[in-house]
């Protein structure tokens, strides 16, 4: 079974919305405002590209990333990976042609089937609604969290607010950087 990894920039209060400057959110671009850039605090992002063998995202994240990431040198490896977009509305004619193989999955059952295939880790970037569904369905195996020393209040959160039994996580890697960022790599305990 393939490992499904959710990776996110989140504020200390759990907000993941618009870290890179996406329009429509009051605190858009919060990862670049008031937090000193230290390259070592982002080492996990390079490791993710090397270690992942596929990308999974929701429609909204695909629509945000696909016009930009294919031409960015820092995401060059992702261009070579197969991409999967979970959407009930996206059609093949709306997929970009310069970002490699992309497959539309219509529901979480298809994600569960993808996890059963041969191959290495599948990485999920962004995709708040998809993360909620994946977490509630028990499909996420690991979290890579870069926690920023910020409180953003309102905004899309990484974790769902579903009333459910306690979900235990095991800390497998942790680092704290001089700029206040914290790396938490957590495995979901089954």
């Amino acid at each position: 079974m393939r490992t499904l990894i959710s990776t996110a920039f989140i504020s200390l209060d759990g907000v993941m919305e618009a870290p890179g400057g996406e329009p429509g959110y009051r605190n858009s671009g919060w990862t670049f405002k008031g937090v000193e850039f230290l390259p070592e605090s982002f080492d996990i992002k390079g490791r993710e590209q090397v270690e992942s063998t596929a990308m999974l995202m929701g429609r909204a994240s695909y629509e945000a990333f696909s016009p930009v990431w294919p031409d960015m040198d820092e995401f060059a490896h992702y261009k070579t990976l197969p991409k999967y977009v979970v959407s009930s509305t996206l059609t093949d004619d709306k997929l970009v042609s310069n970002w490699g193989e992309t497959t539309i999955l219509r529901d979480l059952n298809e994600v569960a089937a993808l996890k059963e295939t041969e191959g290495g880790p599948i990485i999920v970037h962004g995709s708040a609604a998809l993360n909620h569904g994946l977490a509630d369905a028990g499909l996420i195996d690991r979290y890579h969290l870069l926690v920023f020393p910020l409180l953003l209040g309102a905004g899309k959160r990484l974790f769902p607010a579903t009333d459910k039994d306690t979900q235990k996580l095991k800390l497998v890697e942790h680092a704290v950087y001089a700029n206040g960022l914290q790396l938490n790599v957590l495995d979901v305990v089954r």
Side-chain angles (χ1 to χ4, degrees), residues 145-162:
L145 306 178
L146 266 179
V147 183
F148 284 69
L150 304 167
L151 299 175
L152 298 174
K156 293 178 185 174
R157 303 221 182 292
L158 176 63
F159 300 104
T162 309

Side-chain angles (χ1 to χ4, degrees), residues 58-120:
R59 180 198 47 80
S61 290
Y62 176 79
E63 289 174 346
F65 299 154
S66 64
V68 181
W69 282 22
D71 297 323
M72 293 179 72
D73 290 340
E74 55 265 42
F75 298 119
H77 182 66
Y78 283 148
K79 195 169 185 172
T80 68
L81 298 181
K83 282 156 275 308
Y84 299 90
V85 183
V86 181
S87 173
S88 61
T89 59
L90 189 65
T91 55
D92 286 331
D93 63 313
K94 299 294 183 190
L95 298 176
V96 298
S97 61
N98 65 335
W99 205 18
E101 175 191 346
T102 304
T103 303
I104 299 171
L105 305 178
R106 294 298 177 197
D107 58 35
L108 295 179
N109 290 327
E110 292 188 23
V111 175
L114 173 64
K115 283 188 63 175
E116 295 293 331
T117 63
E118 293 293 319

Side-chain angles (χ1 to χ4, degrees), residues 10 126 144:
I10 65 169
H144 289 183

Side-chain angles (χ1 to χ4, degrees), residues 31-58:
T31 58
F32 304 111
K33 297 177 183 173
V35 178
E36 178 188 1
F37 178 76
L38 294 177
E40 62 271 20
S41 61
F42 295 93
D43 283 348
I44 187 75
K45 300 322 235 170
R47 285 185 9 221
E48 288 171 350
Q49 284 194 63
V50 171
E51 295 169 4
S52 56
T53 61
M55 286 180 65
L56 178 71
M57 64 203 98

